[in-house]
Amino acid sequence: MVLPAGSTLPPLSYLFGVLGGALAVLIALYRRRVALRTRTVLAFAPWMVTGSGLYVLYQIGAAPEPLAPLFSSPTVYLTTAVLGGATWLVASRFQATDQWLAAIGVIGALVPIGVAVTLAHEAGSLSAGWPLLGAVIAVAISLLLWFGFARYQPEPTAAVGAAGWLAVFGHVLDGVSTAIGVDVLQFGEQTPLSALLLDVGAALPTEPVLGSGWVFLVVKAALALGVVWMLADLVQDDPPVGNGLLLMITAVGLGPATHNLLLFTVAGPAGL
């Protein structure tokens, strides 16, 4: 009910390799006591985009064959976490840790995105109109929600800062991109829980006018705001745990959202 259709595990040699890498990175980070701050959550945002780009390369058959199993779902999330964690560990040796982490993440994201866009352009399947519009709509909605949240809940808003908005934006973008994919571009939804919400929207009288995706968007936005509100005290009282949870919440929104938009851009209707 959680993993998307098409999820698969890689061969055992790849699986044990990435699990061993994840364990080694976790142990090294624990021993080094690397600080996990709200701005670290922001610094990991490009890495979430990197994971999305790697998965899209896998879906369109453009991933290098020896590495392709590492870019499949759900393994790509662990692969990206290992790469990002290892980079964070190295960057922690410099004073501007978060800046280095973010900068390398941006470079890492540009590589798979650049390859996917180039291949789509050569194949004549590049179409960025709806994805760009979706991104603009998501920014507008998330800012309105965040400013409204800040007005009535100023203390939680201040506690999580821009990282809280990023979490909300990621889930709003996921909602908007899913709505566009299902209602406009005729994509299919592969995640069972998301498909249930879309079925609810399709059964409502508003479906002929608003489509089915708006229910998914509303639920995602409400849940994101609620979780951020609940995490605010924990971020203040126990920053490593609070920010770690905030990082995970952000990743499960922003990662799928950017995957949707990139897939729409380069592959045409093929499924979310």
Side-chain angles (χ1 to χ4, degrees), residues 40-81:
T40 308
V41 177
L42 297 172
F44 267 109
W47 290 95
M48 301 170 197
V49 180
T50 299
S52 301
L54 294 176
Y55 183 37
V56 168
L57 287 185
Y58 175 82
Q59 288 182 294
I60 65 176
E65 186 173 347
L67 299 177
L70 296 176
F71 300 161
S72 63
S73 176
T75 311
V76 67
Y77 302 112
L78 192 56
T79 300
T80 307

Side-chain angles (χ1 to χ4, degrees), residues 10 33-34 36-37 42 48 85 88 96 98 112 129 138 150 158 162-163 184 191 201 234:
R33 296 288 196 272
V34 182
L36 179 52
R37 298 164 288 211
L42 297 172
M48 301 170 197
W88 187 25
D98 297 321
V184 179
T191 305
L234 189 59

Side-chain angles (χ1 to χ4, degrees), residues 46-47 49-51 53 57 103-118 262:
W47 290 95
V49 180
T50 299
L57 287 185
I104 297 173
V106 169
I107 295 172
L110 288 176
V111 173
I113 291 175
V115 171
V117 168
T118 299
L262 182 58

Side-chain angles (χ1 to χ4, degrees), residues 11 36 54 57 72 74 86 98 138-140 145-146 149 156 163 176 188 194 197 201 212 223-225 235 239 256 260:
L36 179 52
L54 294 176
L57 287 185
S72 63
D98 297 321
V139 169
L145 289 174
W146 193 246
F149 183 63
V176 170
S194 302
L197 291 174
S212 60
L223 286 175
L225 280 171
V235 168
N260 288 348

Side-chain angles (χ1 to χ4, degrees), residues 47-216:
W47 290 95
M48 301 170 197
V49 180
T50 299
S52 301
L54 294 176
Y55 183 37
V56 168
L57 287 185
Y58 175 82
Q59 288 182 294
I60 65 176
E65 186 173 347
L67 299 177
L70 296 176
F71 300 161
S72 63
S73 176
T75 311
V76 67
Y77 302 112
L78 192 56
T79 300
T80 307
V82 172
L83 294 173
T87 302
W88 187 25
L89 185 65
V90 174
S92 68
R93 299 182 178 276
F94 301 92
Q95 185 173 1
T97 298
D98 297 321
Q99 290 89 332
W100 277 106
L101 176 62
I104 297 173
V106 169
I107 295 172
L110 288 176
V111 173
I113 291 175
V115 171
V117 168
T118 299
L119 292 175
H121 177 70
E122 293 175 350
S125 61
L126 189 64
S127 179
W130 279 107
L132 288 175
L133 179 60
V136 172
I137 292 173
V139 169
I141 293 175
S142 60
L143 285 175
L144 286 173
L145 289 174
W146 193 246
F147 286 136
F149 183 63
R151 181 175 179 180
Y152 294 102
Q153 297 289 334
E155 292 183 4
T157 307
V160 294
W165 172 80
L166 180 66
V168 173
F169 167 70
H171 285 274
V172 169
L173 184 62
D174 190 23
V176 170
S177 64
T178 299
I180 288 175
V182 171
D183 293 329
V184 179
L185 302 179
Q186 304 304 308
F187 275 65
E189 174 56 56
Q190 293 182 342
T191 305
L193 287 175
S194 302
L196 285 176
L197 291 174
L198 293 170
D199 289 342
V200 171
L204 295 175
T206 56
E207 195 278 337
V209 178
L210 299 178
S212 60
W214 71 269
V215 175
F216 183 73

